Amino acid sequence: MHDAAYIKRRDEIQHYFDRTALEAWKRLTSTEKVSGVRATVRAGREAMRAEILRRFPQDLSGWRILDAGCGAGPLAIELAHRGAHVLGVDLSPQMVSHANEALPEIRNGGSVRLIAGDMLAPEHGEFDGVVSMDALIHYDARAAEAAIAGLARRTGRKMVFTLAPRTRPLVVMQAVGKLFPRGDRSPAIQPVAINRLIAETLARSDMEGWRGHAPARISRGFYISEAQELARS
């Protein structure tokens, strides 16, 4: 059961993507020319997607993977091309509709299904792996820890997700971002003390058997995010 703070935050994010910035995000995730600021975000996201993919085998035949916060679906598609059966879940029905219109034919026996909904909903079932790129960055440390632990209970092999590091450059960028027109702003990122969050998460009694692997931070202009990998030992 989600608490009231999580539900409120979740609904704010859905409102942003469905009613405020859908067209901007369509451009960002396309090959269209974008502004200098958005170009750095696009480059950062591409580098982060490559980093997440690097942490999975080239042959994912037999894997069932959840892409939590799938957006336009590029990560889900690449995992499916490796043979995985991927369920992508995103809060924005309009973003999911846009993504489904452009789904390519999947190679190597994999499949991809993109749906709108709550990425943490238990009815999505169990998975071998979970990826979550730049979705948990919108939640505070307490909510992020609960989300990671909740997903771990339904995951058999590994999870790779991103968090926003609490760094001075990111704090400065947040302040600059507040100068943008309100319609161009994304929901506020929630920088966290990542080492502490991961340590406290792994110390939970319901995280027994999980261990962390080397993180990777990607910094490209206005994009700063850190990949974390947790795997069952």
Side-chain angles (χ1 to χ4, degrees):
M1 179 67 69
H2 302 319
D3 64 22
Y6 169 84
I7 293 172
K8 180 177 183 293
R9 186 64 174 157
R10 180 195 65 189
D11 292 348
E12 290 172 351
I13 296 167
Q14 179 181 344
H15 183 278
Y16 166 75
F17 282 106
D18 264 352
R19 304 187 185 181
T20 305
L22 181 64
E23 293 305 317
W25 276 87
K26 283 182 180 179
R27 290 194 297 274
L28 182 67
T29 56
S30 73
T31 57
E32 292 183 31
K33 186 175 181 179
V34 292
S35 69
V37 169
R38 289 199 173 99
T40 67
V41 174
R42 177 186 282 171
R45 286 176 59 82
E46 289 174 354
M48 180 57 79
R49 187 160 58 249
E51 175 61 32
I52 292 172
L53 288 168
R54 184 183 68 79
R55 293 168 182 265
F56 285 86
Q58 285 296 318
D59 184 357
L60 289 169
S61 301
W63 284 58
R64 185 169 190 253
I65 296 178
L66 171 67
D67 185 351
C70 63
L75 186 53
I77 291 167
E78 288 300 320
L79 291 165
H81 281 323
R82 296 186 183 187
H85 297 290
V86 185
L87 174 66
V89 183
D90 196 90
L91 284 174
S92 169
Q94 292 192 52
M95 181 67 77
V96 169
S97 177
H98 167 66
N100 277 319
E101 290 173 0
L103 276 182
E105 183 176 349
I106 302 299
R107 305 185 299 270
N108 301 318
S111 66
V112 61
R113 178 176 171 235
L114 305 179
I115 64 172
D118 187 334
M119 64 185 183
L120 304 183
E123 55 262 31
H124 298 318
E126 297 185 351
F127 300 90
D128 297 288
V130 169
V131 295
S132 185
M133 180 174 144
D134 297 344
L136 294 177
I137 64 173
H138 297 298
Y139 297 90
D140 64 21
R142 184 176 63 84
E145 178 188 326
I148 294 164
L151 289 170
R153 287 193 289 272
R154 298 185 286 114
T155 304
R157 301 194 193 190
K158 72 163 57 183
M159 302 186 294
V160 183
F161 51 87
T162 63
L163 298 167
R166 186 177 291 160
T167 64
R168 182 173 179 81
L170 189 53
V171 171
V172 171
M173 286 182 213
Q174 284 185 292
V176 172
K178 291 178 181 179
L179 302 177
F180 293 165
R182 184 171 296 275
D184 284 344
R185 298 182 201 166
S186 64
I189 290 171
Q190 301 288 317
V192 297
I194 294 179
N195 290 344
R196 178 179 177 183
L197 189 157
I198 294 299
E200 291 182 351
T201 301
L202 290 174
R204 293 169 59 115
S205 60
D206 55 355
M207 291 293 292
E208 184 176 356
W210 286 90
R211 59 188 176 89
H213 290 257
R217 185 170 297 184
I218 302 294
S219 180
R220 300 286 191 278
F222 270 69
Y223 182 92
I224 302 177
S225 192
E226 185 168 302
Q228 291 286 330
E229 177 183 346
L230 303 183
R232 286 194 183 273
S233 56

